[in-house]
Amino acid sequence: MAGVLIVAEAVSGALAPSTLELAGEGRRVAEALGEPLIAAIAGTNVRGNEAALGEAGVEQVYLADHSGPGVPSPEWTAAAVVAAVKQAQPSVVLISHSAAGRMLAPTLAARVQSGVVTDATRLRVEGDRVIVTKPVFGGSVLSEQVVLANPQVVTLRARSFAAAEPQPRNAAQSIALQVPEAAGGLEVLEEIREESTSGPKLKDAKVVVSGGRGLGGAENWHAVEELAAVLGGAVGASRAVTDAGWISPSHQVGLTGATVAPDLYIAIGISGAVQHVAGISGARNVVAINKDAEANIFKYARFGVVGDWKQVVPALTERLKQLRS
Amino acid sequence: MDIVVTIKQVPDPDIPPHHFKVDEANKRIVGPPGVAPVMNGYDANALEEALRIREKQGGKVTVVTLGPDGARDTLKRAIAMGADAAVHVNDAALLDRGSSLTARVLAAAIQKIGPFDLVLSGRQASDTDAGLTHILVAEALGVPAVSPVSKLESVDAESAVARRAVDDGYQRIKVRLPALLGVSSELNEPRYPPLKGIMAAGRAQIPVWSAMDLNITDLEPRVELRRLYQETREARVELIEADSPAEAGTKLADKLREAGLV
Ligand SMILES: Cc1cc2nc3c(=O)[nH]c(=O)nc-3n(C[C@H](O)[C@H](O)[C@H](O)COP(=O)(O)OP(=O)(O)OC[C@H]3O[C@@H](n4cnc5c(N)ncnc54)[C@H](O)[C@@H]3O)c2cc1C
């Protein structure tokens, strides 16, 4: 048996956007290897995605429905995916580089005695190996890495691979897995979704306004939020800001935060450290406002203002209000 | 509470990209001369959290690294910050062979150190950016792992309650001990070594263990690094010129409208 197996996720009844990216790239890899594209999906209420998976090119799906109470623990999800991989014996496993995927991928690799490369931005097939391009050292250096055994486990960076275009195809054939409640040591007591106070979700937003340490303090943060509100955009932040607690960690953009791909990304008081810009490589237009003309963020920007945000941003916000009313 | 903290020495991540070079032939990153390597940032957060737990509950904090001779300086810094003991695994046969071997080595060292309640590790190293080793250590030790931890709500002899960041929020997870926590930077601000600590570090005896000491015989890497390279980036920014910053703000708005972006 062989195949390229993607670990699919569904949110409120639909496939996650990251899953469509896994399917798009997975199909390309599967075609190059001459193998089928298959999937595993584990969670609460994951039945009913066979048609959508089929349209995305998936032929077979291993399905583990969590029937127990509460949120499935990461251990249960890992057990389900390990069971699917042991049955399917795929040559490649693709997982999204999400919070869940970051824990799942090494756990899986260890349990099937293989290797793993995380946070890939490009894949290329050579013979039976997948050559993985992975940024290292914050993103200022690129590496090419290869998993030497099968399955080759790889996590894919969000917004770096073209999503599968749904096409009329047969529904994926589903194979049910029985996964007992993990007897392990983890219990998810609760899961708190930090919906942004208003406006769209960071990951999907067309406009993102992000602030950095240059804002000077939590008391100035409203300037970022006001500009985002005027543009109907989401609020982002550098790690300096989330570490300082001016806003919750789920707003962090970058290597260890969210990957965003808006049409417009406005960076205010952000220096543009490689780890931050790692999260915005998919942004189509970057605007930088920074008082330091040498700041690295200008290297990534289409438009820039060298100046103090305290003068620049209120005038920008005011003018945009006029233009948009 | 007996805690082991895994530590890695890394090139200073704050070096701007154009100040270091990539030695493509040897697949290594070469930092500018005179800039000392540092303790991986998330590992410093892990050590800080361990010290805070010990200060409240007593016990012992041991740090362990796998690294070349120079990594000893990072262990000394850990002792200066307040760690009670350090172990240096240093063996040419074990270096730079990927996360899977590194994890097996660290797990063997942790077992040799003795019984533990908690292993604290950084969520990822700032050179390889893989985020794998700590999870693989937990697998090798057969203990549960939670990562990335953005807050530790409580720890007692039996269990810990940690906040784990997920994509648009967080989970509160209760984990039975012994366990491994992968620490993120929101957790705390690592302390600077006090003078007393710096003196203790000067006197500290740090044992060095080899592959043989740890009975590691399978040295096969699972992942091969084929290539390491850099891409240069040309700035193409259009700077908005104006007489005052406020005027620049207004002009920027007009520019964005012209470009069809707002
Ligand atoms: C392993 C690792 C992972 C990381 N992951 C991330 C990540 O995911 N996301 C992330 O963001 N960072 C990440 N970092 C941290 C990153 O290296 C930087 O430290 C961080 O991004 C800096 O945030 P900043 O730009 O807000 O602050 P700084 O670098 O301090 O920059 C502040 C900027 O504000 C400007 N400024 C100051 N005052 C004003 C003013 N009045 N008007 C206009 N401009 C002003 C300054 O000129 C400066 O450029 C990571 C680091 C490591 C080592």
Side-chain angles (χ1 to χ4, degrees):
Chain A
M1 274 204 276
V4 173
L5 184 144
I6 62 170
V7 177
E9 283 171 88
V11 267
S12 36
L15 292 179
S18 57
T19 296
L20 294 175
E21 292 169 14
L22 294 181
E25 187 62 12
R27 202 173 149 78
R28 230 177 43 81
V29 172
E31 275 167 8
L33 292 170
E35 295 181 8
L37 180 64
I38 57 182
I41 189 164
T44 312
N45 294 326
V46 291
R47 278 170 221 280
N49 292 293
E50 292 86 343
L53 284 166
E55 286 175 1
V58 173
E59 292 178 27
Q60 246 183 15
V61 55
Y62 291 83
L63 194 147
D65 210 13
H66 185 258
S67 47
V71 182
S73 82
E75 282 176 328
W76 180 86
T77 311
V81 174
V82 170
V85 169
K86 285 192 171 161
Q87 269 194 41
Q89 301 277 325
S91 42
V92 178
V93 178
L94 303 181
I95 299 174
S96 39
H97 194 64
S98 59
R102 288 171 208 214
M103 256 181 86
L104 173 62
T107 307
L108 167 68
R111 293 188 191 171
V112 297
Q113 274 92 45
S114 190
V116 47
V117 181
T118 54
D119 206 13
T121 55
R122 215 181 136 227
L123 306 182
R124 184 175 90 238
V125 174
E126 259 180 44
D128 66 351
R129 293 298 97 189
V130 178
I131 318 292
V132 181
T133 303
K134 170 193 168 45
V136 293
F137 211 57
S140 50
V141 176
L142 295 173
S143 72
E144 285 183 3
Q145 304 189 33
V146 183
V147 179
L148 298 169
N150 278 2
Q152 305 167 68
V153 182
V154 183
T155 68
L156 304 192
R157 180 175 290 190
R159 307 305 191 123
S160 298
F161 294 89
E165 295 287 346
Q167 277 170 32
R169 291 196 189 96
N170 290 339
Q173 172 213 348
S174 87
I175 302 162
L177 294 173
Q178 297 306 325
V179 184
E181 208 50 53
L186 293 188
E187 186 193 344
V188 180
L189 301 177
E190 58 180 327
E191 186 161 87
I192 287 110
R193 297 271 157 213
E194 292 168 325
E195 287 301 319
S196 44
T197 26
S198 60
K201 282 195 163 182
L202 187 55
K203 281 187 293 180
D204 310 323
K206 294 265 172 267
V207 176
V208 175
V209 181
S210 279
R213 192 182 345 245
L215 263 290
E219 67 281 7
N220 295 326
W221 192 252
H222 62 90
V224 176
E225 288 185 337
E226 276 157 27
L227 180 53
V230 168
L231 293 171
V235 170
S238 71
R239 194 181 82 177
V241 166
T242 49
D243 280 359
W246 303 349
I247 190 169
S248 73
S250 51
H251 290 269
Q252 183 186 318
V253 171
L255 183 68
T256 47
T259 309
V260 298
D263 294 329
L264 177 61
Y265 185 85
I266 305 186
I268 307 170
I270 291 178
S271 61
V274 284
Q275 296 90 355
H276 183 81
V277 295
I280 62 169
S281 57
R284 273 169 286 281
N285 297 281
V286 174
V287 172
I289 300 167
N290 196 302
K291 68 175 185 192
D292 174 10
E294 299 299 314
N296 196 50
I297 190 73
F298 288 119
K299 289 209 184 109
Y300 298 83
R302 175 167 173 203
F303 300 115
V305 175
V306 178
D308 190 333
W309 70 266
K310 284 193 179 117
Q311 278 90 52
V312 179
V313 173
L316 170 65
T317 307
E318 200 43 49
R319 180 72 176 155
L320 286 172
K321 264 190 209 156
Q322 288 168 9
L323 290 174
R324 286 173 71 95
S325 63
Chain B
M1 179 103 357
D2 289 322
I3 307 176
V4 181
V5 182
T6 61
I7 283 186
K8 184 180 187 183
Q9 187 181 58
V10 295
D12 190 334
D14 292 335
I15 303 170
H18 52 280
H19 283 193
F20 61 86
K21 295 204 166 54
V22 173
D23 173 357
E24 290 198 26
N26 294 305
K27 295 182 272 196
R28 281 179 176 284
I29 292 164
V30 186
V35 180
V38 298
M39 184 186 302
N40 179 48
Y42 294 118
D43 300 350
N45 293 115
L47 174 57
E48 175 63 36
E49 203 61 23
L51 297 174
R52 291 185 191 185
I53 296 170
R54 184 197 62 193
E55 280 155 12
K56 279 200 213 112
Q57 312 194 5
K60 188 172 174 189
V61 174
T62 308
V63 292
V64 56
T65 196
L66 166 64
D69 296 349
R72 196 182 147 79
D73 295 340
T74 298
L75 292 176
K76 292 224 155 189
R77 182 167 177 99
I79 292 176
M81 281 172 71
D84 300 288
V87 171
H88 188 178
V89 185
N90 185 0
D91 187 327
L94 301 177
L95 298 176
D96 294 323
R97 297 183 75 85
S99 322
S100 145
L101 180 59
T102 302
R104 281 188 290 123
V105 169
L106 291 173
I110 291 166
Q111 270 158 341
K112 190 173 155 86
I113 288 166
F116 61 89
D117 300 294
L118 266 180
V119 177
L120 298 183
S121 304
R123 63 180 285 187
Q124 86 186 40
S126 61
D127 52 356
T128 46
D129 281 330
L132 293 171
T133 301
H134 63 297
I135 305 286
L136 296 172
V137 167
E139 282 291 314
L141 290 171
V143 302
V146 183
S147 178
V149 170
S150 55
K151 187 172 179 173
L152 194 54
E153 293 184 5
S154 64
V155 199
D156 60 37
E158 264 88 56
S159 65
V161 176
R163 275 191 193 184
R164 168 177 182 239
V166 294
D167 286 344
D168 47 7
Y170 61 89
Q171 296 177 327
R172 290 180 61 239
I173 293 189
K174 183 171 176 184
V175 58
R176 155 173 61 67
L177 303 191
L180 181 146
L181 306 181
V183 168
S184 192
S185 53
E186 299 89 3
L187 202 59
N188 57 45
E189 181 77 47
R191 67 193 64 186
Y192 282 98
L195 191 59
K196 197 171 114 238
I198 295 171
M199 287 162 63
R203 292 188 302 269
Q205 297 292 319
I206 300 178
V208 178
W209 293 349
S210 66
M212 231 170 43
D213 295 324
L214 296 173
N215 270 323
I216 305 271
T217 48
D218 172 11
L219 302 175
E220 280 313 302
R222 295 221 164 117
V223 172
E224 181 189 316
L225 175 63
R226 289 252 175 119
R227 199 179 156 212
L228 205 60
Y229 60 104
Q230 244 175 331
E231 274 175 354
T232 47
R233 196 175 178 96
E234 298 299 323
R236 292 165 299 133
V237 62
E238 180 183 333
L239 291 178
I240 312 291
E241 305 292 343
D243 293 333
S244 71
E247 196 191 319
T250 310
K251 276 191 167 173
L252 174 60
D254 294 336
K255 202 77 189 179
L256 294 177
R257 172 46 64 100
E258 250 171 61
L261 293 174
V262 296

